[in-house]
Structures are given as structure tokens and as C-alpha cells.
Amino acid sequence: MTRRGFAISLLAGASLMVGAAMAASWAQSSPQRSRRPDAGEFRPEPLTPFERELVRRAEDSGDIHMDEDHGPADNNARGLRLKDSRAAIVGLSVRGRKYGISLDGTRDVLIKNFSFIDRRANDRFGAGLILGQQEGTRGETWLSNAWIDLQEPGPEPDYKKANNEAISVERNNGPLNIRRAVLIGAAEAGIDNKGDVRMDASFVASGHRPIRVWNGGSLVMANSTVLAMPRFGGFWFGGGEGPARLEYYNCRFGRVGDSIGELSDEIPDWMVSKDEDDPVEIQIRRLNRDPFERDPDSFWAPARTPVPRGFLSGRE
């Protein structure tokens, strides 16, 4: 084994051990256990061949962040903020901060085995992952195996009180690719998307509008579950003139508290909304073929969709 190969192998192994230890710790200490699942269900997984290659590239000309733990901090603290460079982030855990990871002007970035628990901020904003808050990303971002739970009290439709989401994608970013993520616990949304997002094998049940797609933005989903909170919708489209696109394949939709058998394989009309005077053009298309390449060497290597405890009846 080469020195580089040994480093990548060590990177994957260390992430598994440290991540498992952190998950056990959160399961004992999370203040939200009585009302919502916590990161005790999160399990790190090994790097795929595609992800190993991204790590290799970051070793050659970028930044490596391995098994870092950022605990609670005040004053709108962030866990990790990256600018401009290529990077591989493996085994990062962030708790009790305003943002988990911020990316501005970055090139290709891998985020693997990432956990963000419990937003803490002096204002109503925050996210587990935010792209392009100050400058759009220039490469692709690859998020693989993530658990993001902001642990907000519940959905809050008043933006003067709460405006936070699990993932925020601003305009003018490179594509965001998401594989096997749990996005829960925000007051506003699971994904607030103004860019180009592709998502596979993920679970979204977060805020009063779990998925928001703005004009000019697009979201392609496969093998994922989206649940609306009681008395709220599931998908919001807006931002003004222009198309907002959503395509989906082999997904399930419904409300928190439904049984698996009650979920629909087609997006119900009640889940879709836009502001009354918004001229946005909603484009929703159900695909009859998998949109992602399933080659074992691709990023979209098959993954099982996570189903956290407590969101579906019969899944405790």
C-alpha cells in the first residue's frame, strides 16, 4: 500500500471510530431526546471509491479536515468555514452553533459523515450547511452520509421570528450533490434552494415548508422521503418570474405521523404552494427512470434511505 493509500484508509477508519463514539455521547446528552430522534441513530460509513478519489485530490491541492469535533459556542459561531480552496471534510461533528459548514468560493468539496445538532444563535438565522452566503461556490459540493437536526421547537411561519433551515443554497453556486442525508428540526425548511441540487436516498421532515425551490433553481430527487409537519405543506416555490424546477423518481410523500403504507409515490396537491401574487412558474415532473448513474465508482453508489425514529407511525 502506498503512503497516500494508507492515509486515505486511515482517514476512513478513524472517521468510523470517532463518529461512533460521538453518536453514543449525543444519545446520552441531547436535550431533545424526549420529543425528537437524535444523532444516536447516525452511523458513519466508509468512503466509497468515488469519495476516496476526492480525498486524494484534496491531499494533492487542497485542505483535509478529519474527525473534528466543534462543541457549543456563542456569538453566532460557525463550525467550519472554507473559502476558495478544494477540500475533503471527513467525520466532522458540530453542536450548538449557528452554522455547521459555510462554503464560499470553494472548488470541489467532499463532506462525508457530517453531523450538525442544535442550532445556537443570537438571531433567527442558521443552517447545518450553507453554500454561497458571501461568494458562490466554483466547484461541485458532495455531501454524503449526513445528519442535520437544528432542534428548533417546531415549525415557525413568521420570518421575523425564525428563518433557518438544514441546508441553504444561495444563488450562483456550483451544483450540490446529496447522498443519504437526514434533514430535520429546522423552523423554516429542510432545504432552501436557489441553485442546482441533486439528492438521493434522503429523509426530509423539517420546518413549515420542508423544501423550498426559488425561481431559477432546480432540485432532482430520487429514492427519498419528504414529510410535511401537521397543518403545513411540503413544497414551496417562489421568488418571482421564471421557472422553479422539481423532478423526482421513486420517492415517498406524506405527513409526519403517517404510516409507511399511507405515503404517496406522487406529490399530493396539498403539499405544493406558492405565494398568491408570485408569478413564479412551477415545473414539477415525475420521472420514470432513475436520473443518477449507479456505477459502483460513481458518487451515486446505491444507498439505503434512512428513516429516523418517531416520524412515521409504527417506526418508534
Side-chain angles (χ1 to χ4, degrees):
M1 180 180 289
T2 65
R3 181 178 179 182
R4 175 178 294 147
F6 176 77
I8 295 175
S9 177
L10 181 63
L11 190 66
S15 174
L16 283 168
M17 291 185 290
V18 174
M22 289 307 305
S25 172
W26 288 326
Q28 295 175 2
S29 63
S30 172
Q32 306 296 333
R33 291 191 72 219
S34 61
R35 66 176 179 84
R36 187 186 292 127
D38 58 59
E41 295 180 68
F42 177 70
R43 294 292 180 268
E45 63 178 24
L47 293 166
T48 66
F50 182 91
E51 294 161 358
R52 286 175 178 268
E53 176 61 19
L54 290 178
V55 172
R56 185 194 67 77
R57 294 178 188 175
E59 282 187 317
D60 286 344
S61 58
D63 298 326
I64 297 287
H65 296 267
M66 181 183 72
D67 295 325
E68 296 181 8
D69 176 22
H70 298 264
D74 295 319
N75 299 317
N76 290 337
R78 298 170 189 253
L80 185 63
R81 185 171 192 172
L82 297 181
K83 292 185 175 183
D84 302 326
S85 65
R86 175 183 287 117
I89 305 163
V90 182
L92 173 67
S93 63
V94 180
R95 292 167 290 137
R97 300 198 177 201
K98 181 176 180 177
Y99 293 104
I101 300 175
S102 299
L103 302 180
D104 288 291
T106 48
R107 301 181 186 278
D108 288 352
V109 174
L110 169 68
I111 305 169
K112 176 75 174 185
N113 295 335
F114 168 56
S115 299
F116 178 83
I117 307 296
D118 189 20
R119 183 191 73 97
R120 178 186 292 187
N122 299 334
D123 54 34
R124 65 189 187 276
F125 304 105
L129 170 64
I130 183 167
L131 275 64
Q133 188 175 33
Q134 294 185 351
E135 180 185 357
T137 59
R138 288 178 283 174
E140 293 198 47
T141 302
W142 314 86
L143 176 66
S144 177
N145 197 41
W147 185 291
I148 301 176
D149 181 1
L150 276 64
Q151 294 191 343
E152 294 292 296
E156 176 51 75
D158 186 346
Y159 290 108
K160 294 181 179 179
K161 296 180 179 179
N163 190 355
N164 52 74
E165 49 275 329
I167 295 177
S168 179
V169 180
E170 300 298 332
R171 297 191 187 275
N172 302 315
N173 285 286
L176 169 62
N177 307 285
I178 303 171
R179 174 186 173 273
R180 201 171 194 274
V182 170
L183 308 178
I184 56 179
E188 183 203 9
I191 299 178
D192 190 325
N193 175 37
K194 299 180 179 75
D196 177 12
V197 176
R198 295 170 285 194
M199 180 172 69
D200 184 43
S202 294
F203 182 95
V204 186
S206 187
H208 64 100
R209 293 163 173 173
I211 291 180
R212 305 185 75 198
V213 183
W214 294 72
N215 61 327
S218 67
L219 172 63
V220 180
M221 299 191 306
N223 307 309
S224 296
T225 300
V226 180
L227 301 182
M229 293 295 176
R231 303 186 305 279
F232 293 102
F235 297 85
W236 176 90
F237 298 83
E241 293 184 358
R245 300 180 178 89
L246 170 65
E247 297 181 331
Y248 66 95
Y249 170 80
N250 191 36
C251 294
R252 297 293 180 269
F253 310 97
R255 288 187 174 92
V256 170
D258 286 350
S259 68
I260 292 178
E262 291 175 310
L263 301 183
S264 172
D265 59 4
E266 188 170 358
I267 298 176
D269 290 343
W270 64 263
M271 290 190 79
V272 179
S273 69
K274 72 179 186 70
D275 295 342
E276 185 176 350
D277 58 349
D278 196 323
V280 66
E281 178 187 349
I282 299 175
Q283 297 183 0
I284 300 176
R285 185 161 68 108
R286 182 181 180 183
L287 304 175
N288 55 21
R289 298 180 64 179
D290 191 335
F292 303 132
E293 180 184 355
R294 298 299 175 178
D295 187 286
D297 292 329
S298 79
F299 177 71
W300 306 109
R304 187 171 183 176
T305 305
V307 182
R309 293 189 298 267
F311 286 92
L312 293 173
S313 62
R315 177 76 172 95
E316 302 299 334

